[in-house]
Amino acid sequence: MSLRIIEISAPPEASDKIKDLSERYDAIDIWQALRKTGWLDKTEDKRITTRILVDVQNQQDMLDALQRAVINNEGWRITLIPVEATLPAALEPDKDSTTKLKIRDIFRGSITREELHEDMTKGASLSFDFLLLIFLSSLVAGIGLIQSDVAIIIGAMVIAPLLGPNLALAFGAALGDQSLIMKAIKTNIIGLTFTMMITILASFLVTPDAVLQSTEMMNRTNVGYASIILALASGAAAVLSLTTGVSSALVGVMVAVALMPPAVTLGVTLGNGQFDLAYGTFLLLATNIVCVNLSAQAIFRLKGVKPRTWFEEKQAKKASRINTLIWLGMLILLAALIWLKKSYSG
C-alpha cells in the first residue's frame, strides 16, 4: 500500500472540518499540533498543523476537499509528503463488504494533479538548460545517425528534452490550462526550430552520399502505419509512467518514440537539398508529435486528471474536445499523406 502525508496548516476554526474530512475519505491516521507562525513565536497569529496519513487512492479527492474547506481562510498551506515507510505498519481502513468498486478507481493513478502540474510545468519551461540539451542531443544524434551507431543514437534520445513540452501540451489540454498550453507550444516550436537551425548548418559538413549510405538515417525517411501505432502506444505509456509514479519507464518511451533523430534527419536532408527524403522524415516527425499528444491526452482523461472546480472542469472538457478534434484531423491528414506516399513510391 502506497502512502502519503497531507500536511495542512490552517487557522483553528478549520480544525473540525479537517477532522471530518479525514474520516469521510478514510484516512489511515490523523494528528495535530498547535503552533504559532512567525520567528520564535513573536506573533499572535496561530495556526493548527494537521497531518493526515492517506492511501494514494484517496489522496486526490481528499486534497480537493481540504482545499475547499480552507480556501476561504487566510494563512493556510497544504503540503503533500511522500512516505517511504511507517511504523507500526499502516492498516487499510475497514470498508463495508458490500461497497462496490468504482470504475474510476481502477484507472486512478498514484500522482496527484498538483504533482503532475509541477512536473509538466518543468517539462515545458524554456531555459538555457533546455536549449543546451537540444544543442548537445542534436550533435550526438547527428553523429550517431551518420555513423549508424545505435548506441549513440539511443544516448541522444535519452538526453533530448523534446518529449517534455509535448506531454505538457496534452496535460494542459486535459485541464483546460491555457497558460500551460501556450507555454508548451512555445517551447515545442522553439525547440524544434533550434534543432532545425543546428542540423541545417551541420548539413554542410555532411555529403548527400553519406546520408544515403547511413542505414539509420534512411530508416527515418520511411514512415508507415506501424509508426502511427508505435507513437500512439508510446504516448499512452509515457502518461501511465508519470501518473503511476514509475518515472524510470519514461526512458523506454523516449527511446521508442524519439523526436530528436527524425528532427535531425529532417534538418540534414533539407540542408542537402534532398527534399524527397526530407518529406518522408517530416511525415515521421509529425506523426510522432501528433500521436503522442493525442494518446497522452486520452490517458490523462481516462486517469481522471481534471480541474478541481465544476466550472473549470466544464471549460476543460470544451478545450479538450477542441484539442482532440484538431489532433484527430491532423492524424487523418497524415495517414492520407502516408498512403499517397506509399502509393506513388510503390
Side-chain angles (χ1 to χ4, degrees):
M1 179 168 54
S2 299
L3 304 174
R4 296 288 176 90
I5 288 176
I6 300 177
E7 182 181 272
I8 312 100
S9 181
E13 54 266 28
S15 180
D16 291 337
K17 183 64 175 177
I18 291 171
K19 288 180 180 178
D20 291 340
L21 289 173
S22 69
E23 294 177 3
R24 185 186 305 175
Y25 290 98
D26 299 319
I28 296 170
D29 198 2
I30 178 172
W31 58 99
Q32 292 182 325
L34 176 65
R35 74 177 180 86
K36 293 182 180 181
T37 60
W39 184 249
L40 296 178
D41 295 342
K42 290 181 179 180
T43 70
E44 295 301 321
D45 179 23
K46 296 181 179 180
R47 284 194 283 177
I48 296 289
T49 297
T50 306
R51 291 184 176 91
I52 304 174
L53 185 65
V54 298
D55 185 358
V56 293
Q57 285 290 97
N58 300 321
Q59 63 179 340
Q60 185 67 77
D61 290 340
M62 186 180 291
L63 206 58
D64 291 343
L66 288 169
Q67 189 173 347
R68 289 192 295 268
V70 300
I71 198 169
N72 293 325
N73 296 279
E74 293 184 0
W76 63 272
R77 183 169 296 281
I78 298 177
T79 306
L80 195 62
I81 306 169
V83 176
E84 296 294 334
T86 180
L87 295 174
L91 299 176
E92 293 188 17
D94 294 331
K95 293 185 179 181
D96 189 351
S97 59
T98 60
T99 302
K100 293 182 178 179
L101 179 66
K102 296 179 180 178
I103 296 297
R104 69 189 181 100
D105 291 336
I106 298 175
F107 299 105
R108 188 178 298 179
S110 61
I111 303 296
T112 61
R113 179 199 319 112
E114 289 74 16
E115 292 171 282
L116 283 171
H117 195 281
E118 189 72 19
D119 291 339
M120 294 298 103
T121 301
K122 289 178 182 177
S125 297
L126 182 62
S127 62
F128 173 77
D129 289 341
F130 177 85
L131 294 176
L132 183 59
L133 281 173
I134 290 286
F135 176 74
L136 293 174
S137 59
S138 298
L139 293 181
V140 173
I143 294 171
L145 288 167
I146 291 298
Q147 295 183 354
S148 290
D149 191 319
V150 177
I152 296 176
I153 296 171
I154 290 175
M157 294 174 182
V158 174
I159 64 175
L162 291 176
L163 187 62
N166 282 283
L167 294 180
L169 179 56
F171 181 76
L175 289 184
D177 189 337
Q178 294 297 326
S179 62
L180 182 58
I181 290 173
M182 297 309 298
K183 185 177 183 180
I185 291 174
K186 176 184 175 183
T187 302
N188 217 358
I189 291 173
I190 291 176
L192 288 171
T193 302
F194 189 44
T195 302
M196 290 295 100
M197 289 171 57
I198 296 169
T199 51
I200 288 173
L201 288 173
S203 68
F204 294 108
L205 304 175
V206 180
T207 64
D209 287 340
V211 174
L212 295 174
Q213 292 170 6
S214 170
T215 303
E216 292 298 326
M217 245 183 194
M218 293 304 295
N219 285 343
R220 283 161 179 85
T221 62
N222 295 318
V223 59
Y225 299 118
S227 302
I228 295 177
I229 297 172
L230 172 62
L232 286 171
S234 299
V239 174
L240 285 173
S241 67
L242 284 170
T243 56
T244 55
V246 189
S247 57
S248 59
L250 271 178
V251 175
V253 175
M254 291 172 184
V255 173
V257 67
L259 301 177
M260 184 56 70
V264 169
T265 304
L266 177 60
V268 171
T269 50
L270 283 174
N272 278 330
Q274 297 167 300
F275 300 117
D276 54 335
L277 298 179
Y279 177 63
T281 307
F282 167 76
L283 289 180
L284 176 61
L285 178 61
T287 297
N288 284 350
I289 292 173
V290 169
C291 291
V292 164
N293 277 275
L294 186 60
S295 61
Q297 184 180 326
I299 297 298
F300 275 131
R301 298 297 298 179
L302 184 65
K303 297 287 283 184
V305 176
K306 59 184 180 180
R308 181 175 58 84
T309 66
W310 174 85
F311 178 74
E312 289 175 338
E313 184 179 351
K314 184 179 179 181
Q315 295 295 107
K317 284 182 178 179
K318 181 180 178 181
S320 182
R321 244 183 254 115
I322 294 172
N323 198 63
T324 301
L325 289 174
I326 291 173
W327 289 123
L328 276 175
M330 292 178 69
L331 181 58
I332 293 170
L333 176 60
L334 284 169
L337 292 175
I338 291 171
W339 178 80
L340 287 172
K341 185 177 185 298
K342 285 186 169 295
S343 298
Y344 282 111
S345 61

